[in-house]
Amino acid sequence: MVVSPRKFQYKLTSNKKALDMSSARLGWLTPSDPNLSLETLKEQYQKQGYLWLKAFFLREDVLAFRKHFFSAFKDTGLLAKGSDPEQGIYSGTAVNPRQSNQILMEIVRSAAFESFCLQPRHWQFYDAFFSGPSYIHKRKLIRYTVPHKASSTGGHYDLVYLRAGTDKLCTSWIPIGDTPVEMGGLVYLEGSDGFGRELEAKFAEQHADLSAEERIRAYNKDMGTGWLSKDLASLADKADTRWLVADYEAGDLMIHSPYMIHAATDNRDSHNHLRLSTDLRFQNVRDEVDVRWSNHWSLDDML
């Protein structure tokens, strides 16, 4: 499957810090056809550390959930007056955080969100991928990002937050709506699955004296937030590789390994669209589960 890359219109930033736009430090993700054989997809996953599965879900189903999500915020002032909730156009005004956070936590616990996450093709893919019944962690995150706010997820790998269970797991990241590069979707550090494994092994060796509780916490005394860096350009220099970006579309599914280093860029959409996405964790039900992920996501759970 070929997706033609395009030229960038302006510099990409993450947490106000510019990415190096040279071809040595920035490139495009490689898409995969979800209809390829499982063996081929596994080979691509092992080689890349990720799979960008194009049109995995029905586009209309993803957009319907986007509309459902933003409709819940219709009285908060989040959306531009008179706009279609499916478009998710930001009003540009501040909203009451207590009200919006309450709505967000209600959606996280809703049957509609659970149904969206567990579409049959999704869990059936993982049943095959793990060669056994798959398990989805109860802690499921869904977040929207307002445009022109310089606050993004820093570079990290997911196992930092899941150390109390198996490392044989995958993250599903679903863009809920079209998410071109300008809207700040996930970016991946090319070839970093191996780099992440090296970092994790080094952490285990250097912190063998920590208590078991401290070792599994991302927010321990030596790691701070669990992020490797908010400066994506310097992280690419350190690893001597590129950040890979994509123009995601509604219906796409990103899957990455727990060691794959990734981050997000700032939402700089010129039409003020809110970026909406969810990230979920799957594993074989027979493998050890990090019990800290057995509760619904809450904003203060410190994971």
Side-chain angles (χ1 to χ4, degrees):
M1 178 174 287
V2 176
V3 174
S4 299
R6 58 185 173 87
K7 291 184 178 180
F8 297 108
Q9 301 301 310
Y10 47 75
K11 278 187 173 292
L12 300 178
T13 63
S14 180
N15 294 294
K16 296 183 179 180
K17 296 180 182 294
L19 276 70
D20 185 338
M21 304 295 287
S22 69
S23 59
R25 291 289 178 258
L26 193 69
W28 293 88
L29 286 167
T30 301
S32 295
D33 183 345
N35 298 308
L36 293 173
S37 70
L38 182 63
E39 180 182 1
T40 299
L41 291 175
K42 281 187 173 182
E43 288 176 356
Q44 292 178 354
Y45 176 83
Q46 292 297 326
K47 180 181 178 181
Q48 301 172 161
Y50 70 86
L51 287 172
W52 174 20
L53 300 175
K54 293 294 299 175
F56 183 89
F57 302 108
L58 291 177
R59 177 179 175 84
E60 54 266 33
D61 290 348
V62 176
L63 294 179
F65 184 77
R66 180 179 173 88
K67 183 167 189 171
H68 169 79
F69 179 93
F70 283 124
S71 292
F73 291 84
K74 64 181 184 337
D75 297 324
T76 67
L78 177 65
L79 303 180
K81 283 188 177 181
S83 63
D84 182 350
E86 182 185 304
Q87 292 295 311
I89 300 175
Y90 180 47
S91 65
T93 60
V95 299
N96 183 318
R98 183 175 180 180
Q99 182 187 21
S100 60
N101 289 343
Q102 179 180 344
I103 293 170
L104 185 62
M105 293 299 96
E106 289 173 353
I107 292 172
V108 163
R109 290 156 174 76
S110 70
F113 181 49
E114 184 80 6
S115 178
F116 178 78
C117 296
L118 285 175
Q119 296 177 60
R121 191 181 192 189
H122 200 186
W123 64 259
Q124 288 168 4
F125 174 87
Y126 278 116
D127 277 7
F129 195 80
F130 293 127
S131 301
S134 58
Y135 170 83
I136 185 172
H137 289 224
K138 189 173 183 178
R139 186 176 185 269
K140 309 176 189 69
L141 286 71
I142 184 167
R143 291 174 282 203
Y144 62 83
T145 303
V146 302
H148 314 300
K149 181 180 179 182
S151 177
S152 305
T153 302
H156 69 284
Y157 58 95
D158 289 343
L159 195 68
V160 168
Y161 305 97
L162 288 144
R163 286 187 173 128
T166 181
D167 68 346
K168 297 176 182 176
L169 55 87
C170 293
T171 293
S172 277
W173 182 79
I174 306 172
I176 306 176
D178 293 337
T179 309
V181 173
E182 291 82 0
M183 284 181 68
L186 283 196
V187 297
Y188 290 87
L189 198 60
E190 187 174 33
S192 63
D193 177 86
F195 186 38
R197 291 175 190 274
E198 292 174 8
L199 291 172
E200 186 64 12
K202 185 176 181 180
F203 170 84
E205 180 182 352
Q206 293 181 343
H207 298 84
D209 60 329
L210 290 178
S211 68
E213 182 180 357
E214 275 288 290
R215 258 197 319 273
I216 66 173
R217 292 184 71 235
Y219 294 86
N220 64 47
K221 63 183 180 180
D222 293 322
M223 292 202 67
T225 64
W227 292 354
L228 300 172
S229 178
K230 293 170 70 173
D231 187 341
L232 302 191
S234 66
L235 197 53
D237 288 340
K238 181 179 180 180
D240 191 21
T241 189
R242 306 182 297 172
W243 285 103
L244 302 179
V245 303
D247 288 323
Y248 301 106
E249 297 177 288
D252 290 354
L253 170 64
M254 278 300 306
I255 295 173
H256 63 255
S257 93
Y259 294 102
M260 190 71 182
I261 297 171
H262 56 287
T265 53
D266 300 329
N267 182 352
R268 300 179 64 186
D269 182 68
S270 59
H271 300 290
N272 286 336
H273 288 103
L274 292 147
R275 176 172 73 81
L276 180 64
S277 62
T278 182
D279 42 301
L280 320 163
R281 277 78 191 179
F282 284 84
Q283 64 176 75
N284 191 309
V285 73
R286 298 168 186 146
D287 292 331
E288 186 175 6
V289 175
D290 188 329
V291 296
R292 300 172 302 163
W293 285 67
S294 297
N295 297 304
H296 287 298
W297 171 50
S298 63
L299 295 169
D300 58 356
D301 65 13
M302 293 297 289
L303 272 174

